[in-house]
Amino acid sequence: MQTIENFLRDVERRNPHAPHLLQAVEEVARGVWPLLHANPQWLDAGIMERLVEPDRSISFRVRWRDDAGQVHVDRGYRVQQNRLLGPYKGGLRFADHVDEGVMRFLAFEQTFKGALTGLPLGGAKGGATFDPRGRSAEEVRRFCYAFMTELRHHIGPDKDVPAGDIGVGEREVGFLYGAYRELGGLAAGAMTGKAVAWGGIPLRTEATGYGLIYMVCTALAHHDRALEGLRCAVSGAGNVARHAAAKALEMGARVVSLSNSQGVAHWPDGLRAEQLEQVADAQSNGARLSDVASKVGASFEASAKPWDLPDIDVALPCATQNELGANDAKALLASGRLQLVAEGANMPCTSDATQAFVDAGVLLLPGKAANAGGVATSGLEMSQNAQRKPWTRDTVDEELKACMRRIHDRCVEFGGESSTVDYAAGANRAAFHRLATTMEALG
Ligand code: NDP
């Protein structure tokens, strides 16, 4: 019988230059191996091996011209991981850290996330080595056009439906979708994250952050606790972080930080909703968090992280992968107050940090469950586009809440043997169970 050690060795041998993928696969494998032992036919059928290997991984040259007339060559990617449950689905990331290994890990995670939503969604991820920060709008538009010139051959409403991610917000989705249409693809359902005026669904922008907090509230309530009054450290200052902070404030929490790759903005007594709006406005006009911090009542500490702040009850890492390491976990645990960590970003906690939280009995909501509100709402946007009938904000919000509760309950069903639910194992097992039973049923 295949052992987990042999399986992981084999994954490492086949993917020697993809450390993020190995980290993500090991985390899933350790969660699902007991399920495989209880169902040895899934081991014999090589279900895990089939889930790790993408259906296909596409990389392509993106050639574009900057405002000074200089030609640049970037690399674009689309990893179509698995379409067992529905069309490939997953965001596009524009950042200079993008490479095939990062795309592979995100596409693998996305397959499990899609499965957890209960919706008909497969898994994919894509992006490019292009960083839109500091580029003019016209440069970004030219890049998006060049990127879509190739990507359009691989996507479509029943085939593969990209959305945004780091570096790809509503503006970039607009340019990409505009290029897709101009190049001949008229289907509105070929991308999600569109603005409401041109085929998007209300609340898609907010959905990942709001969904994160719905899941936090549900998990706390399941353990007879509440978010109200708790001190939350949020990392990031982008889409996920800002909307998570806004919803946490609405739920009565005290949000004490936002951050970016330069440092941390700290509000010792808690950020107010209007200050958060000012941050968002300033950022949309091109300012950085450090430029605006003092104007919105925060101190800004360069090169610092939110995890060193005192007396944190809830940590919400919403920036990027592996942003919270073992030393950060130690700092968060030092006050003895930490109750819950919920991953707004994809795999923001390193394996060591995750283990430290589990050992300390802290509730840990893994990204594939806690940030699934974004892809779930993208699934609703696909339904809306297929129906050609707009949905209301209230309907979407109710669906989002129901989806996050369903995901929570599936995690409890598969990871709730002890009084403190093991959400990480529960999420991996629940998603794997759906994928494995489907693969089995489809022969
Ligand atoms: P954005 O581009 O809107 O924001 C990213 C934020 O993270 C920025 O404030 C950025 O700061 C900060 N950041 C990036 N790198 C670091 C770092 N090393 N240390 C500290 N801060 C950093 O992206 P999103 O909010 O959309 O995505 C954030 C995370 O959430 C990603 O992991 C993404 O995959 C995940 N996610 C996003 C979804 C969505 O719907 N958008 C859905 C599900 C998951 P700076 O500007 O300085 O780089």
Side-chain angles (χ1 to χ4, degrees), residues 93 133 165-167 204 208 237-240 260-261 288 319 345-346:
R93 177 176 291 193
R133 290 174 306 178
D165 191 73
I166 292 179
R204 172 59 190 91
T208 308
N239 176 315
V240 179
N260 66 8
S261 50
R288 306 295 313 264
N346 285 310

Side-chain angles (χ1 to χ4, degrees), residues 300-311:
F300 190 86
E301 195 181 336
S303 307
K305 291 181 178 184
W307 322 127
D308 291 323
L309 296 174
D311 300 329

Side-chain angles (χ1 to χ4, degrees), residues 409-418 420-427 429:
D409 293 350
R410 292 287 283 163
C411 293
V412 173
E413 188 187 336
F414 281 85
E417 297 91 1
S418 60
T420 302
V421 177
D422 184 344
Y423 286 96
R429 288 176 197 156

Side-chain angles (χ1 to χ4, degrees), residues 191-202 204 381 384-385 390-391:
M191 281 200 76
T192 60
K194 304 183 292 296
V196 174
W198 32 275
I201 198 162
R204 172 59 190 91
E381 186 173 333
Q384 173 188 269
N385 292 144
W391 288 36

Side-chain angles (χ1 to χ4, degrees), residues 136-151:
S136 72
E138 188 50 28
E139 287 176 322
V140 174
R141 191 195 64 75
R142 280 199 295 273
F143 176 82
C144 289
Y145 194 95
F147 180 81
M148 189 52 86
T149 305
E150 173 60 30
L151 186 71

